[in-house]
Amino acid sequence: MRYVKELLKGGYDLHVHSAPDCLPRKMDDIDMAERITASTLSGYAIKNHWTSTAGRAKLINRLYPECDAVGTITLNSAVGGLNPTAVEMAARGGVRLVWFPTCDNEHEAAFQFDGNPNKKLAFWASIILEMKEQGIETPTQNCLDENGNLKQEVLDILDIIARYDMILATGHISHEEAYKLVPEAARRGVKKIIITHVTFPTTYYSVEDQKNFISYGAKLEHCYTTWKTGKEELPVIAEMIKAVGAENCIIATDLGNTKLCYPDEGMEEFSEALMAEGLTADDIRVMAVTNPRWLLGKDAE
């Protein structure tokens, strides 16, 4: 384990669900900062489905200077959905990573709430159901208009992301949306793109699809929880990484679930498991350290 800790030195987990949140979480930002400081990692990105985390990140960075907390925003309905003003103000407030819609994406919502009473719903779905029972409807978001073209507000958001050199993460958008969004983002000068959850049920991409995204400069995200919760087998994840090259991937955890481990522990366990499947120490370091640092505009560690 000490060997893995050294491999992760200077790395980042760019997908962490910490509290304060609208849902119960295993740890809050103070817990995370203390754990990052005690680990060999340099920092983590604070993900929240409903609010910008820029302010939280700034406070954590002042209180814990050895932990680099990264502020983010997710373009769900709570921030106005595909809202250029929200992205502009988030950028001015220090946000480094913009997730396109997740739980409120039209495609994701249709999958979750398809009427199947036996389906195991996502952790966040409880909030949507509670609000619906109270008569509060949550509008769904789609990047495309009725003609299948990217909406003007999406184009405006891409220009803002490019201007501030932020990271674009695709969130839980559909394949059709991603096929339009990623090339246009690259055309408009967005240099840092993450294809979120490439082995997640609603955002599952073939190796061919992944290579297409790579041609636009995108990095492919593989998360600990996707494997740990049985959504995809570890050998499949490892083979995908080998097929496209670790230099085109990042690993993260998506942790914060109260029933699973802490993110720093998840990064270590995921790294060990992937090496057991034939990935090298250099592969792990590239995916956990080199690529996240590049995305954040940090010097090489």
Side-chain angles (χ1 to χ4, degrees):
M1 184 67 79
R2 186 65 214 172
Y3 175 63
V4 174
K5 286 181 183 292
E6 288 304 313
L7 280 183
L8 297 177
K9 185 177 180 181
Y12 283 79
D13 183 349
L14 294 183
H15 200 145
V16 173
H17 291 276
S18 49
D21 201 349
C22 301
L23 291 166
R25 293 299 181 188
K26 187 177 183 71
M27 68 284 162
D28 62 23
D29 289 319
I30 291 175
D31 298 325
M32 269 305 301
E34 291 176 347
R35 295 191 70 89
I36 292 290
T37 300
S39 76
T40 56
L41 294 170
S42 285
Y44 71 109
I46 310 172
K47 184 171 186 181
N48 189 292
H49 288 299
W50 300 284
T51 64
S52 167
T53 63
R56 289 162 55 183
K58 283 187 174 182
L59 288 173
I60 287 298
N61 291 336
R62 180 176 176 185
L63 291 169
Y64 296 90
E66 294 183 17
C67 170
D68 183 18
V70 178
T72 76
I73 190 171
T74 308
L75 302 181
N76 288 321
S77 296
V79 299
L82 298 164
N83 181 357
T85 302
V87 179
E88 175 71 29
M89 298 314 293
R92 290 173 183 248
V95 156
R96 298 295 306 136
L97 193 159
V98 179
W99 267 286
F100 271 71
T102 56
C103 54
D104 291 342
N105 175 254
E106 185 178 284
H107 164 72
E108 178 68 41
F111 175 83
Q112 293 292 332
F113 307 114
D114 63 358
N116 181 356
N118 299 315
K119 176 175 285 185
K120 183 180 178 181
L121 294 176
F123 186 51
W124 48 261
S126 61
I127 288 183
I128 308 296
L129 294 173
E130 285 173 15
M131 290 197 301
K132 190 170 184 178
E133 289 174 1
Q134 295 166 3
I136 304 170
E137 292 295 332
T138 304
T140 55
Q141 306 294 323
N142 192 317
C143 295
L144 306 179
D145 63 20
E146 61 275 8
N147 297 316
N149 300 316
L150 290 169
K151 295 176 178 176
Q152 183 59 51
E153 53 263 45
V154 172
L155 302 180
D156 293 342
I157 288 168
L158 294 180
D159 289 341
I160 296 167
I161 292 172
R163 185 165 70 250
Y164 287 96
D165 195 27
M166 294 189 289
I167 304 165
L168 182 163
T170 53
H172 293 202
I173 64 175
S174 67
H175 286 56
E176 291 75 17
E177 291 168 274
Y179 296 151
K180 297 281 181 72
L181 182 69
V182 172
E184 185 63 21
R187 193 182 74 80
R188 288 174 178 262
V190 177
K191 296 180 175 62
K192 296 165 181 177
I193 302 170
I194 297 172
I195 309 301
T196 308
H197 286 313
V198 294
T199 55
F200 203 69
T202 51
T203 56
Y204 199 103
Y205 291 103
S206 68
V207 168
E208 182 180 351
D209 279 330
Q210 292 178 39
K211 288 180 177 178
N212 181 50
F213 288 132
I214 289 167
S215 73
Y216 295 103
K219 303 298 184 189
L220 312 167
E221 179 198 61
H222 293 276
C223 286
Y224 168 89
T225 55
T226 305
W227 156 57
K228 199 65 176 180
T229 59
K231 294 180 178 68
E232 184 53 278
E233 298 295 326
L234 190 65
V236 175
I237 295 172
E239 287 306 311
M240 280 188 173
I241 294 171
K242 293 173 189 176
V244 301
E247 66 274 14
N248 297 306
C249 301
I250 65 168
I251 55 173
T253 67
D254 193 17
L255 282 167
N257 188 306
T258 56
K259 298 178 181 179
L260 298 174
C261 65
Y262 290 101
D264 53 299
E265 296 172 331
M267 286 289 282
E268 293 173 13
E269 184 182 350
F270 199 24
S271 298
E272 283 195 330
L274 288 170
M275 284 194 288
E277 292 294 331
L279 292 174
T280 68
D282 285 344
D283 291 335
I284 299 301
R285 186 151 182 84
V286 164
M287 295 188 292
V289 182
T290 306
N291 286 345
R293 293 185 73 89
W294 175 80
L295 287 163
L296 291 168
K298 305 288 181 182
D299 293 335
E301 180 73 12

